[in-house]
Amino acid sequence: MFSCFATDIICSNFFGINVDTLSEPDHPLIKNISKVFGAEFMKNWRILLIFLFPKFTSFLLEKNIMSVVDSESIGYISQLSEQIIEERRSKAKFRNDFVQHMVDHLENEEKDDDDKTEEATVDENNENWKKLRKKLTNGEILSQSILFMLAGSDTTAVTLSWLAYNLAFYSECQDKLIEEVDSVLEENVCI
């Protein structure tokens, strides 16, 4: 249940897509994420090959003889993220999430570059600074989103499971936590 919750939160905050993995386990995004990061990934015999024969596997990967991840699933996620990024750039859709912040960062950086070229005199330091600035590509935005999916979903689910187990096991701590949450809500929520 916590794994579904973590996946829903990450899909919403990074890809800008609201899914309910408990109600819609057959959602295409959820299926493809599961193939790349989930239980299906861990059942992949290629993962075992990497651990048992790392040099042989790296040779196969370098020569593009073998792929570790499902190429159709990565293709779907890549295509979906490209579509989301283009919607955000064209201002067809706005959502306060990770992708929107990355797109806004690109636009602000481009505006800053335009302002600097109009105002600044050409000197050596300014030219070197412009060379150092790097703009994010769609692929880099996608890879950051995938990194959050990979690093965030299981760690969040395990942490929440551990927390729920310990709160259930130590009822006095659970009661203390409930009291603290209730007092904070009373102080900060205007009803």
Side-chain angles (χ1 to χ4, degrees), residues 68-133:
V68 177
V69 295
D70 184 44
S71 58
E72 287 180 24
S73 296
I74 287 291
Y76 175 83
I77 294 170
S78 297
Q79 181 184 11
L80 181 65
S81 70
E82 289 283 335
Q83 177 187 348
I84 292 168
I85 292 168
E86 291 310 315
E87 284 177 354
R88 304 297 176 78
R89 282 194 176 138
S90 68
K91 308 279 192 235
K93 197 174 193 181
F94 178 84
R95 187 178 165 122
N96 192 15
D97 59 6
F98 178 76
V99 173
Q100 188 67 52
H101 287 291
M102 292 293 104
V103 170
D104 290 346
H105 174 73
L106 286 175
E107 289 176 358
N108 290 339
E109 215 172 70
E110 288 170 0
K111 287 178 188 174
D112 290 346
D113 285 346
D114 291 341
D115 292 344
K116 285 181 182 175
T117 55
E118 291 173 6
E119 295 174 3
T121 60
V122 179
D123 66 352
E124 207 171 298
N125 292 336
N126 197 15
E127 288 299 318
N128 290 336
W129 176 252
K130 286 181 186 178
K131 290 177 187 175
L132 289 175
R133 293 187 74 168

Side-chain angles (χ1 to χ4, degrees), residues 1-117:
M1 191 183 288
F2 287 127
S3 180
C4 291
F5 172 72
T7 302
D8 291 349
I9 295 300
I10 290 172
C11 285
S12 176
N13 289 322
F14 292 98
F15 292 103
I17 298 173
N18 290 328
V19 292
D20 184 7
T21 53
L22 289 175
S23 302
E24 300 177 63
D26 293 333
H27 191 281
L29 180 60
I30 300 305
K31 279 185 165 182
N32 287 298
I33 286 173
S34 176
K35 285 181 184 177
V36 175
F37 306 113
E40 290 183 40
F41 177 73
M42 294 317 247
K43 292 177 187 176
N44 189 344
W45 60 271
R46 293 172 185 103
I47 301 300
L48 183 61
L49 192 64
I50 289 172
F51 288 108
L52 294 177
F53 307 105
K55 289 185 180 184
F56 178 67
T57 307
S58 67
F59 170 77
L60 294 176
L61 292 171
E62 285 174 14
K63 301 295 182 186
N64 290 327
I65 297 171
M66 179 183 84
S67 174
V68 177
V69 295
D70 184 44
S71 58
E72 287 180 24
S73 296
I74 287 291
Y76 175 83
I77 294 170
S78 297
Q79 181 184 11
L80 181 65
S81 70
E82 289 283 335
Q83 177 187 348
I84 292 168
I85 292 168
E86 291 310 315
E87 284 177 354
R88 304 297 176 78
R89 282 194 176 138
S90 68
K91 308 279 192 235
K93 197 174 193 181
F94 178 84
R95 187 178 165 122
N96 192 15
D97 59 6
F98 178 76
V99 173
Q100 188 67 52
H101 287 291
M102 292 293 104
V103 170
D104 290 346
H105 174 73
L106 286 175
E107 289 176 358
N108 290 339
E109 215 172 70
E110 288 170 0
K111 287 178 188 174
D112 290 346
D113 285 346
D114 291 341
D115 292 344
K116 285 181 182 175
T117 55

